[in-house]
Every structure is written in structure tokens, then in C-alpha cells.
Amino acid sequence: MPEFSPAFREQLQDLFRWRRDVRHFRRDPLPEPVLDGLLRTACLAPSVGLSEPWRFVRVDDPHRRAAVREDFARCNARALSDRAGTDAQRYARLKLAGLDDAPHHIAVLSHPEPTQGRGLGRGTMPQTTTWSTVMAIHTFWLAATASGIGVGWVSIIDPERIRAVLDMDPTLELVAYLCVGYPAQPASTPELERRGWERRAPERREWIRR
Ligand SMILES: Cc1cc2nc3c(=O)[nH]c(=O)nc-3n(C[C@H](O)[C@H](O)[C@H](O)COP(=O)(O)O)c2cc1C
């Protein structure tokens, strides 16, 4: 086990602080070995029963990408129509996906009943497969940030439709659709905070004790 230095821990804090959800991308693609390396790092994540339920799908086909963009536009328009007045105006001004510019699209699916892991740990909490996949996504996100690469999580999509667009096994659960590429401009605060939509709440840094 390597010994992690205080300087490394400080840098790690910077990494947590500077990890951002990115919606503005440069169009140049990542070198293949870099993206491949990030996906391999993601697979170091913990998983219930060592089941590794994640399935990363690189979406390269321009027709499928266009279909995903259309689905986002449709779902986002519906989300906007559920709001009224100034709330709707403020929502309409937000940029909530970098699907047009991001050079890489990655769908992340999860196997709800993997044979790997032999069911260990999910008898009482079957959702743990999904959570394991989220761990892999977060690992990917941090590893990408450490390499100066941006990741944007898009959830304003219809999972059934996206699964069909990608022609994936219907038993797999769509957990995330990620935009990946070099960020147009790095930022130290969440975009939703910069645009006055929401802010980090200090009370979340208070721990409940029982
Ligand atoms: C599960 C999940 C789904 C998200 N979906 C979206 C999305 O559809 N569109 C978007 O712009 N941001 C999305 N985000 C990003 C959050 O808005 C972002 O993480 C949050 O505002 C904090 O900003 P930060 O990640 O830059 O710290 C999602 C984040 C998570 C964890």
C-alpha cells in the first residue's frame, strides 16, 4: 500500500473541490488511450458482492447521438412546461447538457441481477447494484477531473427511449448519460450556483447524531 503524503491529501481536496458538472466543452476529442484509461479506472470502484454491474457504452454513432439530443430537447421542454412565471424564465436560461459539443457520449447502464457476485449483499437491498454503478461513475468523474477532463451528467432524458435508441438489453437499467471532453473553461463553483439557481447549503455540513 503506498503512503499518501499530506501534500497529496491537499491536492485530493482540490480535486474534490474542483470536480464540476461540465456543460460547455471544446470539440476536440480525447486521445483514445486517455478515455480508455479513465474507463478502466472507473472499474476500480467498489461494487456489491464484487458484482461489477456497470456497463459503459460509448455512443459514437451520429444517428444515435442525434436521437439522444432530440430526446433531451423533448424532456427538457416538458420540464420547462411544468414550471410557470419567473421560475420558468429562470429554468429556460439554464444550459443543462453539453450534448452538442462534447466529443464523447457515454451511456452507463447497470445490470439489476448480475450473476457475478452471486447475489451477495443485495438480498435485502436490491438497489445496491445501481449504487455500485453510481460509484463507478463518480470514480470516472474524479479521475477525469484529475486529468483536466470534464464530465457532464445528463438525466433529463427518457431512460426507456434511450435504451431503445442504443439497442440495449431491456433488462439493463440506464443510470447515466455522460458528456465527456475538455471543458471550455474550468470553474471552482457549480454552474447552477453561478447562475443563481441554487447554492450549496451550509446546514448540509452539520451531522445528525443519534
Ligand atoms: C444524478 C445526477 C444527475 C444530474 N443530472 C443533470 C442534468 O440532467 N443536467 C445538468 O445540467 N446537470 C445534471 N447534474 C449535475 C448537477 O446539477 C451538479 O452536480 C450540481 O449542480 C453541482 O454542481 P457540480 O457537480 O459542478 O459541483 C446531475 C448530477 C447528478 C449527480
Side-chain angles (χ1 to χ4, degrees):
M1 167 99 179
E3 203 170 301
F4 299 109
S5 68
F8 172 81
R9 280 194 286 278
E10 254 179 57
Q11 281 217 303
L12 193 56
Q13 277 295 324
D14 285 342
L15 178 65
F16 296 141
R17 257 188 247 114
W18 279 84
R19 182 216 47 77
R20 286 283 72 78
D21 186 86
V22 173
R23 293 119 181 160
H24 307 267
F25 292 93
R26 283 172 20 199
R27 291 197 169 203
D28 47 317
L30 310 183
E32 271 302 310
V34 172
L35 185 51
D36 200 51
L38 293 176
L39 289 167
R40 283 175 195 280
T41 301
C43 297
L44 296 174
S47 60
V48 64
L50 196 51
S51 59
E52 300 181 302
W54 46 76
R55 303 288 180 270
F56 288 94
V57 180
R58 290 188 54 180
V59 184
D60 298 330
D61 180 85
H63 301 292
R64 293 190 208 270
R65 283 196 192 205
V68 171
R69 276 199 298 274
E70 275 164 31
D71 187 66
F72 167 77
R74 195 171 31 240
C75 293
N76 202 31
R78 201 178 315 131
L80 174 61
S81 69
D82 289 341
R83 296 172 182 271
T86 51
D87 186 41
Q89 284 169 8
R90 291 176 67 205
Y91 185 89
R93 282 200 291 269
L94 298 173
K95 178 168 168 61
L96 295 172
L99 292 166
D100 293 339
D101 291 336
H104 306 283
H105 287 196
I106 298 177
V108 192
L109 293 100
S110 192
H111 202 302
E113 291 184 347
T115 50
Q116 188 177 331
R118 299 157 61 197
L120 189 149
R122 57 186 168 85
T124 52
M125 299 179 80
Q127 317 92 311
T128 45
T129 50
T130 312
W131 301 341
S132 302
T133 297
V134 172
M135 302 290 295
I137 295 167
H138 193 224
T139 304
F140 177 83
W141 208 338
L142 289 173
T145 306
S147 302
I149 293 160
V151 175
W153 187 321
V154 186
S155 57
I156 307 167
I157 44 176
D158 175 347
E160 301 271 306
R161 168 107 187 97
I162 300 300
R163 215 177 24 214
V165 164
L166 301 180
D167 198 15
M168 293 301 294
D169 178 343
T171 59
L172 294 177
E173 177 194 13
L174 180 81
V175 178
Y177 196 89
L178 305 176
C179 296
V180 180
Y182 294 109
Q185 359 163 273
S188 62
T189 49
E191 181 159 334
L192 293 187
E193 195 169 319
R194 294 200 306 282
R195 291 178 181 254
W197 178 265
E198 192 49 277
R199 59 179 184 86
R200 290 198 183 277
E203 56 273 25
R204 298 285 170 270
R205 324 256 185 295
E206 288 166 17
W207 323 130
I208 297 164
R209 302 185 83 161
R210 289 282 185 276

